[in-house]
Amino acid sequence: MKSAVIVFPGSNCDRDLAVAFEAVTGAKPEMVWHRDTELPDDIDLIGVPGGFSYGDYLRSGAMAARSPVMQAVAKAAERGAYVLGICNGFQVLTESGLLPGALLRNAGGHFICRDVSLTIENAQSAFTNRYDAGETVTFPVAHHDGNYFADPATLDRLEGEGRVALRYAESCNGSARNIAGVLNEAGNVLGMMPHPERVIEAAHGKTDGRRLFEGLVEGLLTRA
Amino acid sequence: MKARIFVTLKGGVLDPQGKAIHHALDGLGFAGVNDVRAGKLIELDLADGTSDEDIDAMCRKLLANTVIENYRIEKAD
């Protein structure tokens, strides 16, 4: 199984995500620089990490979404590779059009850095199959622009198609319908603001995030 | 040739920055400010003959996120 983590100038959760991938796959992911134009043909899993890519210039994730490597990520996603975008990675995926909607400045105007309770809305997806539907988990968030926005018709479609993977148990940043994570139509791309990679081992204080990565790997093994 | 691109949030999209500015204006004692919306001005210095289509494409592909923003192009020679 081959995994990769994309690294943009200003990424700062890339190594945490690499540790999480290695913990469940047993192999170090390839760290792929934003200028690279290709990913390995047989890549199974791609992480788009958190951080402040390109200093969040113009809009969060806007410059990263237009970087050369994102064309390769889009191609891999189309082929069926799993793509997980966390925090800034979620912003990059919406800016690149791989996921619908946009992430606006938090409604309260403040940077929010704390643990939040999340409800697993769709426990069937490749990313959430190790959780129970309706289960509450705790992941940390650390973002300024996490306020999910999409027009009402798009929101209705996402809900109807089970593409809202996670929801904040309580209002957090002003997100429409408390949406914390969304899937693409094919279900192989997930973007989420909370950080599962920060809660994968006992030393982190919580391990709620580990099952997300374990479920992904299990899915890949059974698919192969 | 120069072009100025005005990028503004669509109506109905929350603007916490505008709200904060509004609040600060209130604090300074300016009465009668009904609402504040903040946007961006991007100035482009372009090769002469750059087509309108190209400028529009720049806006759509990068300068504005049309999910949440509108843009207006103002050309000046």
Side-chain angles (χ1 to χ4, degrees), chain A residues 58-59 62-63 66 94-95 101-109 147 149-150, chain B residues 7 9 12-14 16-17 19 40 42 60-65 67-69:
Chain A
L58 194 64
R59 298 175 303 275
M63 314 298 269
R66 278 82 182 171
T94 56
E95 277 283 345
L103 291 142
L104 304 172
R105 182 56 44 107
N106 293 341
N147 180 353
F149 174 90
Chain B
V7 181
L9 286 171
V13 175
L14 190 76
Q17 190 178 208
K19 272 201 166 48
K40 285 181 201 128
I42 299 166
R60 279 181 285 108
K61 287 189 174 173
L62 177 63
L63 302 180
N65 177 345
V67 175
I68 50 170
E69 294 169 327

Side-chain angles (χ1 to χ4, degrees), chain A residues 15-218:
Chain A
R15 282 168 287 179
D16 302 42
L17 193 52
V19 168
F21 279 4
E22 185 175 357
V24 293
T25 64
K28 279 192 191 302
E30 192 170 328
M31 305 303 279
V32 181
W33 186 232
H34 69 124
R35 289 254 175 107
D36 290 349
T37 52
E38 282 179 28
L39 287 160
D41 280 341
D42 50 352
I43 196 83
D44 299 300
L45 171 62
I46 301 166
V48 187
F52 299 87
S53 56
Y54 299 82
D56 277 351
Y57 287 173
L58 194 64
R59 298 175 303 275
S60 298
M63 314 298 269
R66 278 82 182 171
S67 63
V69 75
M70 285 309 296
Q71 303 223 3
V73 171
K75 256 189 230 159
E78 202 171 318
R79 216 191 53 235
Y82 290 138
V83 180
L84 172 63
I86 299 169
C87 199
N88 190 221
F90 185 13
Q91 296 160 346
V92 172
L93 294 178
T94 56
E95 277 283 345
S96 64
L98 285 171
L99 290 173
L103 291 142
L104 304 172
R105 182 56 44 107
N106 293 341
H110 292 286
F111 191 97
I112 302 171
C113 185
R114 61 178 167 87
D115 286 348
V116 296
S117 292
L118 300 157
T119 309
I120 305 292
E121 289 291 324
N122 174 350
Q124 311 283 316
S125 82
F127 303 86
T128 51
N129 57 49
R130 283 284 188 98
Y131 300 91
D132 296 322
E135 183 181 348
T136 303
V137 295
T138 304
F139 293 172
V141 293
H143 60 249
H144 212 162
D145 297 329
N147 180 353
Y148 187 73
F149 174 90
D151 61 68
T154 303
L155 293 171
D156 287 344
R157 201 180 72 234
L158 291 175
E159 303 234 34
E161 294 173 354
R163 290 166 58 188
V164 175
L166 307 133
R167 224 188 280 272
Y168 301 106
E170 292 170 5
S171 177
C172 168
N173 50 24
S175 285
R177 304 185 192 178
N178 284 334
I179 290 171
V182 298
L183 294 155
N184 70 339
E185 202 170 355
N188 65 317
V189 178
L190 172 71
M192 59 192 292
M193 288 312 296
H195 286 274
E197 82 282 15
R198 293 189 188 176
V199 278
I200 61 161
E201 48 190 80
H204 290 155
K206 290 187 188 67
T207 57
D208 281 357
R210 193 176 183 96
R211 279 180 286 159
L212 186 146
F213 298 97
E214 287 173 344
L216 265 179
V217 168
E218 193 178 76

Side-chain angles (χ1 to χ4, degrees), chain B:
Chain B
M1 185 177 88
K2 298 209 165 150
R4 308 174 97 197
I5 315 297
F6 296 86
V7 181
T8 51
L9 286 171
K10 287 184 175 174
V13 175
L14 190 76
D15 179 11
Q17 190 178 208
K19 272 201 166 48
I21 296 167
H22 191 178
H23 187 69
L25 287 173
D26 281 346
L28 288 170
F30 291 104
V33 180
N34 293 325
D35 193 20
V36 179
R37 304 281 285 171
K40 285 181 201 128
L41 165 63
I42 299 166
E43 293 184 318
L44 302 176
D45 189 338
L46 299 163
D48 287 341
T50 304
S51 70
D52 289 356
E53 291 75 31
D54 274 353
I55 300 173
D56 198 65
M58 292 178 204
C59 294
R60 279 181 285 108
K61 287 189 174 173
L62 177 63
L63 302 180
N65 177 345
T66 55
V67 175
I68 50 170
E69 294 169 327
N70 292 320
Y71 61 89
R72 182 165 60 82
I73 300 165
E74 199 180 88
K75 290 207 297 183
D77 293 322

